[in-house]
Amino acid sequence: SQTIHQWPATLVQPVGSPLSLECTVEGTSNPNLYWYRQAAGRGLQLLFYSVGIGQISSEVPQNLSASRPQDRQFILSSKKLLLSDSGFYLCAWSVSRTTNNEQFFGPGTRLTVL
Amino acid sequence: AQSVTQPDIHITVSEGASLELRCNYSYGATPYLFWYVQSPGQGLQLLLKYFSGDTLVQGIKGFEAEFKRSQSSFNLRKPSVHWSDAAEYFCAVGEGRTGGFKTIFGAGTRLFVKA
């Protein structure tokens, strides 16, 4: 069966510090991968998606970047965090090359920038 | 452009009462529709999905949803709510085409259940 992992689960970082959040998927190959941010009391905002290694699409201009160094690894980064980067970050995957858009979500990372 | 509207930010129902969460979508073709549930501090879990066929879809945990093309709606229902149903619910629409992979989520409806 497929599983998706995110770490860390929680993170408190000072403004201006770097960020690296990691997401890995097991039990599937060549998944589509996604990073979402969920601000307090708001819905999900798609930040990045990837359809393959090294292929990253950004949905909104921001202080963050994403990379996919391996097929089932998706990393969210920042060189210098802003207060507005605080939120709940969710990684998700879906089966590629089908008409099924069902997404499977990780447990999330709660990021607080102070 | 696709969009999803969940008009109710939060809803409170009594345990044992029926529930309906509203969802309206905007999409030019036949949409792929989903309902997800999120417990506090957790990821999202799929409740049910509609791709084609019977417009009344059954999901997990006793939930169902009905696709109404004429109203561009996909409302979620449950006949009797349990306290454990308290969570946030997200309606979503996906690209209904091969290779399509982007899903648009609504802002969510938070469900409170009172004893």
Side-chain angles (χ1 to χ4, degrees), chain B residues 29-100:
Chain B
T30 300
Y32 283 17
L33 296 163
F34 307 86
W35 275 100
Y36 289 85
V37 61
Q38 184 184 31
S39 297
Q42 302 295 315
L44 278 69
Q45 179 185 23
L46 182 70
L47 281 176
L48 48 79
K49 59 189 177 185
Y50 171 78
F51 290 167
S52 63
D54 192 347
T55 56
L56 185 62
V57 181
Q58 301 298 319
I60 62 172
K61 303 184 181 184
F63 286 92
E64 66 178 26
E66 186 171 12
F67 170 58
K68 292 185 178 180
R69 184 187 300 277
S70 62
Q71 299 177 20
S72 297
S73 69
F74 189 57
N75 295 348
L76 182 70
R77 301 194 294 248
K78 186 170 185 178
S80 178
V81 169
H82 188 262
W83 64 266
S84 61
D85 293 325
E88 188 148 24
Y89 293 80
F90 293 93
C91 181
V93 58
E95 296 175 322
R97 60 178 178 83
T98 300

Side-chain angles (χ1 to χ4, degrees), chain A residues 22-58:
Chain A
E22 189 163 344
C23 170
T24 59
V25 181
E26 297 176 355
T28 188
S29 296
N30 194 32
N32 295 326
L33 295 171
Y34 311 83
W35 277 112
Y36 291 89
R37 176 169 57 207
Q38 187 176 25
R42 301 178 65 178
L44 278 71
Q45 179 186 34
L46 179 63
L47 302 176
F48 301 94
Y49 65 90
S50 171
V51 298
I53 295 174
Q55 301 179 62
I56 309 296
S57 296
S58 174

